[in-house]
Amino acid sequence: MVQTVWVSSAGSWALQESDCHRQGRKRSWKCRFVRTIIQHPCRRHAPKRSRKARMLRKIQLCLCFCFVSGILYEISLLSSCVFSYLPMAQQYLTPEQVLNLGKSIIFLETTERLEPPPLVSCSVESAARIYQDRPIILFMRGLTNETALDMNTSYAAFSLLSSMKNVFIFPLQMETVFQETPLLQWYNQVVPEQEKNWVHVSSDASRLALIWKYGGIYMDTDVISIRPIPQESFLAAQKSRFSSNGIFGFPARHKFVWDCMENFVLKYNGNIWGNQGPFLMTRMLKTLCNLTDFQGTEDHSCQNISFLNPQRFYPIPYPAWGRYYQVWDKSPTFNHSYALHLWNFMNRNRKVVVAGSNTLAEKLYKTYCPTTYEDLIQNAKHREFPESED
């Protein structure tokens, strides 16, 4: 009996040879049929076929058509749903393999903590939902190859995030990240223990190196995505004539990002908060563009770099950051925004989303990171009604 077996590996296909071909002596018409499909003989002066032969030929052509159609269909699935095969092998993929898929959304955690708080989880989840065809990567400084082995069982947030097919969590290895960039020499000379703002400075450097090497979009871990960003090369205006570095995107090897890394080293001053971050982006943008005030919700553009309106990410400015944790009579629609920055750096009192509080932040959680919100509710119930101990 003829058996055709599809073998689907990473983009490779094969047709298994029938057993009757290996026997060599007795070949049935079925064996000749399989050989005919593969070899496609074409005889210009073939004798007139009988009715039975013509019928057999039609069947062969139909099967060939199905054969080719099947391959084309599977290839289209591979190209359009690249992540459909990844969950089974997520733990075996390296950062380079995922980043090389292109157009990653990158988050960084440069503290040593291993349990992402709800806002970090919400940021990553919302990006995974909005950008379902792109890899979402959370790099964590406190994560090592050893802790990565059991992170799903040890930490609830890991289990929550890693269950999403396009989310990847990797250790942040700065020395590897800074290879082949101007930042490596700086990193080898700096003494982290003597740095006043090391958590922020190391994050500022890492995001530049990663975006320059691989391209994509960087987002802070307190940014909730609400719709896709259409631009590929962009900076986010925090206010008129001032750029943030909390969200930005560029293709790989973009000159502007390389120039930012060189200036990072040249003008380095770790004692001034933001000197290697938003102030760096602003002064580098000013070397290219004559920045003007925003008059409405329009974006500015210079040297093929989009300078996006503050409404895109900062509709609530940092002096009013607490409004995210207040109850609104009528919630804003954020129709002009792609994402919302919740200014967690300003949140020194550590305000959090409380289930049932009806604050703006709670509504954002419900809409854009519902899995994180459900987990938050379950944790609140466990705290309120702890299980009895034996």
Side-chain angles (χ1 to χ4, degrees):
M1 182 176 180
V2 178
Q3 295 180 346
T4 56
V5 180
W6 295 99
V7 181
S8 69
S9 60
S12 63
W13 303 92
L15 184 66
Q16 182 174 334
E17 186 182 7
S18 175
D19 290 339
C20 57
H21 282 278
R22 294 192 293 267
Q23 294 175 359
R25 293 182 179 180
K26 189 175 180 181
R27 298 185 178 183
S28 66
W29 66 270
K30 296 179 181 178
C31 299
R32 293 193 298 275
F33 166 68
V34 174
R35 187 175 65 252
T36 302
I37 293 178
I38 298 175
Q39 294 178 349
H40 300 290
C42 181
R43 299 178 182 176
R44 298 180 61 183
H45 303 290
K48 188 174 181 179
R49 298 182 178 87
S50 64
R51 181 177 180 182
K52 183 176 180 180
R54 290 197 300 271
M55 181 64 69
L56 179 61
R57 181 62 175 168
K58 289 180 180 179
I59 294 174
Q60 293 173 351
L61 291 174
C62 289
L63 288 175
C64 283
F65 175 78
C66 294
F67 180 91
V68 174
S69 298
I71 291 178
L72 294 176
Y73 175 72
E74 293 291 343
I75 290 175
S76 69
L77 288 180
L78 283 170
S79 60
S80 61
C81 302
V82 66
F83 299 107
S84 62
Y85 297 97
L86 291 182
M88 293 184 296
Q90 271 185 335
Q91 57 184 325
Y92 303 111
L93 294 173
T94 65
E96 290 75 17
Q97 288 172 325
V98 178
L99 287 163
N100 285 331
L101 292 172
K103 296 186 176 180
S104 301
I105 311 294
I106 297 173
F107 295 89
L108 295 173
E109 175 59 75
T110 52
T111 70
E112 295 293 330
R113 65 185 176 188
L114 287 173
E115 176 67 355
L119 182 54
V120 175
S121 177
C122 183
S123 298
V124 176
E125 180 188 345
S126 65
R129 292 179 180 274
I130 296 298
Y131 303 94
Q132 296 186 21
D133 60 338
R134 302 175 71 162
I136 313 300
I137 306 176
L138 172 60
F139 285 100
M140 301 189 70
R141 179 63 176 167
L143 191 64
T144 65
N145 291 330
E146 288 73 22
T147 55
L149 295 177
D150 63 346
M151 62 184 181
N152 287 337
T153 58
S154 301
Y155 304 102
F158 279 129
S159 179
L160 185 155
L161 294 175
S162 60
S163 66
M164 301 177 187
K165 65 181 181 180
N166 60 333
V167 173
F168 301 84
I169 304 174
F170 293 121
L172 177 60
Q173 299 171 334
M174 293 186 186
E175 187 170 355
T176 301
V177 168
F178 297 144
Q179 293 290 335
E180 302 177 4
T181 76
L183 298 168
L184 182 60
Q185 182 180 2
W186 160 80
Y187 180 72
N188 289 333
Q189 294 175 349
V190 74
V191 181
E193 294 77 15
Q194 298 177 2
E195 292 291 322
K196 179 181 177 181
N197 299 298
W198 178 246
V199 168
H200 303 285
V201 168
S202 59
S203 177
D204 293 335
S206 299
R207 68 189 71 175
L208 288 172
L210 286 165
I211 294 299
W212 182 79
K213 282 186 172 182
Y214 303 103
I217 296 174
Y218 167 81
M219 292 185 183
D220 277 349
T221 53
D222 56 349
V223 172
I224 298 178
S225 298
I226 61 177
R227 57 178 57 90
I229 303 170
Q231 289 83 359
E232 185 177 16
S233 301
F234 71 89
L235 294 172
Q238 185 173 314
K239 59 182 180 180
S240 289
R241 309 189 191 202
F242 189 80
S243 176
S244 161
N245 76 327
I247 310 169
F248 64 93
F250 287 94
R253 311 282 167 161
H254 196 283
K255 185 179 184 301
F256 178 81
V257 184
W258 179 268
D259 292 342
C260 285
M261 290 190 293
E262 288 189 328
N263 191 272
F264 183 105
V265 177
L266 182 64
K267 299 291 183 69
Y268 181 73
N269 187 339
N271 293 323
I272 302 176
W273 187 92
N275 186 63
Q276 319 319 127
F279 291 106
L280 167 66
M281 291 295 200
T282 301
R283 63 177 177 261
M284 294 306 296
L285 186 61
K286 286 182 177 179
T287 63
L288 300 177
C289 312
N290 181 22
L291 300 182
T292 58
D293 291 339
F294 292 95
Q295 301 301 321
T297 58
E298 82 285 356
D299 298 321
H300 293 171
S301 180
C302 176
Q303 300 287 332
N304 295 322
I305 299 174
S306 297
F307 190 41
L308 301 185
N309 194 287
Q311 289 293 317
R312 304 292 177 244
F313 307 105
Y314 304 102
I316 297 179
Y318 77 89
W321 68 271
R323 300 200 66 189
Y324 280 113
Y325 297 94
Q326 295 176 358
V327 178
W328 292 53
D329 293 335
K330 183 179 179 181
S331 297
T333 59
F334 300 116
N335 288 334
H336 300 293
S337 302
Y338 302 135
L340 304 173
H341 193 288
L342 268 61
W343 303 107
N344 196 51
F345 178 72
M346 303 294 295
N347 189 3
R348 294 180 177 87
N349 293 327
R350 293 292 173 252
K351 293 185 178 181
V352 296
V353 171
V354 178
S357 61
N358 203 33
T359 61
L360 177 57
E362 184 192 14
K363 292 180 179 180
L364 294 175
Y365 274 46
K366 286 182 178 179
T367 304
Y368 301 108
C369 55
T371 305
T372 297
Y373 183 72
E374 287 295 324
D375 186 65
L376 187 149
I377 292 176
Q378 292 299 323
N379 290 337
K381 288 181 178 179
H382 287 313
R383 286 193 298 268
E384 186 176 354
F385 305 105
E387 296 180 2
S388 61
E389 296 182 357
D390 293 337

